[in-house]
């Protein structure tokens, strides 16, 4: 390796912090230096490489395509170093196992089963991150993610945990026995949508149908969607795995469904996995429906 060809480590650290935090001020706070110091180091890095790594987007700072590619490599590299040091010093063993999961799946599937994992692995501390926003597994951060979609996330490994179709549901108290044949008929009713974007709603209402909004739209956290639709507060787009019991009990009706290869996937990053993560992964696989390999 030609060490002289590499940019200064301080510049690489500053740029990586900027990429992770999104601003020079936040990056400076993370590294305990001024925002001016971060900006200066990033300029030195750009001069060393002869490339523009950042660009102004209004008042905010964004990464260029080259900057994004470099940031991904640096985050992975620094993360791997941090993970190895933590493993060698024993610090990694004390870090809670971090699981990223969508709010709907956390409330309807994961939490009711979590007691079984805790009983089988009493020494493993967990940190559950329920968010519709994608959080990729990374060294020193999220260990395992459970995400809804088609299972295609570049740079990550995904295996199907639970097949699940996308459905439009409502309480009989809201829609009665009315038969629906066109999505446009749903405009006669209020809607419940998840705060921030969700794969399910984007998939169901792609294209022109994205304009459907009903008589009103109420945005709620994903873990409250089922409660709201059950109470008749609106029509909602959910997944079959989260509403099967409600439909079987007659508390909800499926108005439309979208079949395909969608489902909840176990998402991991290739590389050495912590023992706690391996235990959780084995437990997740054991929770699959019978007959699914």
């Amino acid at each position: 390796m030609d060490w002289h060809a590499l940019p200064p480590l301080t510049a690489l650290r500053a740029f990586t912090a900027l990429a992770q935090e999104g601003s020079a001020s936040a990056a400076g706070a993370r590294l305990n230096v001024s925002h001016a110091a971060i900006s200066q180091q990033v300029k030195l890095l750009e001069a060393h490489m002869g490339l523009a790594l950042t660009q102004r987007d209004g008042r905010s700072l964004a990464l260029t395509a080259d900057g994004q590619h470099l940031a991904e490599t640096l985050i992975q590299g620094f993360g791997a170093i941090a993970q190895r040091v933590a493993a060698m010093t024993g610090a990694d063993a004390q870090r809670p196992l971090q699981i990223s999961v969508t709010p709907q799946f956390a409330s309807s599937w994961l939490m009711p089963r979590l007691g079984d994992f805790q009983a089988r692995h009493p020494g493993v501390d967990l940190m559950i991150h329920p968010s519709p926003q994608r959080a990729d597994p990374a060294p020193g951060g999220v260990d395992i993610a459970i995400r809804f979609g088609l299972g295609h996330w570049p740079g990550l490994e995904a295996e199907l945990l639970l097949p699940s179709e996308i459905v439009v549901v409502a309480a009989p108290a809201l829609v009665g026995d009315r038969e629906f044949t066109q999505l446009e008929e749903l405009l006669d009713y209020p809607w419940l949508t998840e705060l921030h974007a969700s794969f399910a709603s984007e998939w169901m209402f792609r294209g022109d149908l994205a304009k459907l909004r009903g008589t009103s739209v109420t945005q709620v956290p994903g873990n409250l969607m089922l409660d709201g639709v059950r109470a008749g507060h609106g029509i909602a787009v959910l997944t079959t795995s989260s509403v099967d019991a409600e439909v079987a009990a007659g508390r909800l009706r499926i108005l439309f469904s979208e079949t395909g290869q969608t489902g909840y996937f176990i998402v991991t990053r290739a590389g050495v996995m912590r023992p706690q993560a391996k235990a959780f992964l084995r437990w997740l696989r054991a929770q699959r429906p019978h007959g699914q390999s």
Side-chain angles (χ1 to χ4, degrees):
M1 179 182 295
D2 185 359
W3 293 100
H4 297 289
L6 292 176
L9 179 60
T10 52
L12 294 175
R13 289 177 68 244
F15 177 72
T16 306
L18 175 66
Q20 286 187 310
E21 302 300 325
S23 72
S25 297
R30 177 60 68 90
L31 296 181
N32 198 27
V33 299
S34 68
H35 71 277
I38 295 294
S39 299
Q40 182 181 22
Q41 289 296 328
V42 171
K43 289 179 181 178
L44 288 174
L45 180 61
E46 291 178 320
H48 181 96
M49 299 185 64
L51 295 171
L53 303 175
T54 61
Q55 61 186 2
R56 283 289 172 185
D57 185 8
R59 293 187 176 182
S60 61
L61 196 65
L63 300 183
T64 63
D66 287 330
Q68 186 63 46
H69 292 152
L70 179 61
E72 291 173 357
T73 300
L74 290 174
I75 291 172
Q76 184 174 357
F78 279 127
I81 293 172
Q83 185 180 42
R84 177 56 61 187
V85 170
M88 293 176 68
T89 60
D92 199 47
Q94 304 302 318
R95 184 171 64 87
L97 182 65
Q98 298 192 45
I99 309 298
S100 175
V101 63
T102 60
Q104 288 182 30
F105 196 71
S107 62
S108 66
W109 191 93
L110 182 59
M111 295 308 295
R113 292 170 170 79
L114 206 54
D116 180 70
F117 175 81
Q118 293 169 328
R120 294 174 184 272
H121 304 277
V124 178
D125 294 333
L126 293 173
M127 185 180 294
I128 308 297
H129 300 279
S131 173
Q133 298 177 331
R134 173 176 164 176
D136 292 342
V142 170
D143 293 281
I144 296 173
I146 303 175
R147 283 288 175 255
F148 183 81
L150 296 171
H152 307 307
W153 293 281
L156 299 171
E157 298 181 347
E159 59 177 287
L160 185 62
L161 171 64
L162 182 67
S164 190
E165 296 178 0
I166 300 170
V167 290
V168 180
V169 294
L174 179 65
V175 298
D177 296 326
R178 178 176 175 177
E179 295 296 325
F180 295 86
T181 58
Q182 301 292 328
L183 286 171
E184 286 75 9
E185 297 176 63
L186 302 176
L187 292 172
D188 298 336
Y189 301 91
W191 275 78
L192 291 174
T193 63
E194 186 173 358
L195 284 170
H196 310 294
S198 72
F199 182 92
S201 59
E202 290 174 354
W203 180 269
M204 177 64 76
F205 296 114
R206 55 198 180 275
D208 293 338
L209 293 179
K211 299 177 182 178
L212 288 180
R213 53 168 284 119
T215 58
S216 66
V217 175
T218 301
Q219 293 182 311
V220 298
N223 59 313
L224 298 181
M225 288 279 286
L226 188 58
D227 292 336
V229 71
R230 187 195 298 121
H233 297 326
I235 292 173
V237 179
L238 295 169
T239 58
T240 51
S241 62
S242 63
V243 302
D244 280 343
E246 302 295 323
V247 172
R251 291 187 288 269
L252 292 180
R253 284 184 55 200
I254 294 179
L255 310 181
F256 292 96
S257 63
E258 179 81 18
T259 59
Q261 302 300 314
T262 54
Y264 288 94
F265 288 80
I266 304 169
V267 182
T268 57
R269 184 175 293 277
V272 179
M273 185 174 289
R274 294 197 292 155
Q276 304 97 309
K278 290 181 180 179
F280 194 81
L281 184 58
R282 288 193 299 268
W283 177 79
L284 279 176
R285 288 168 174 162
Q287 306 306 307
R288 288 169 169 162
H290 294 297
Q292 181 186 334
S293 58

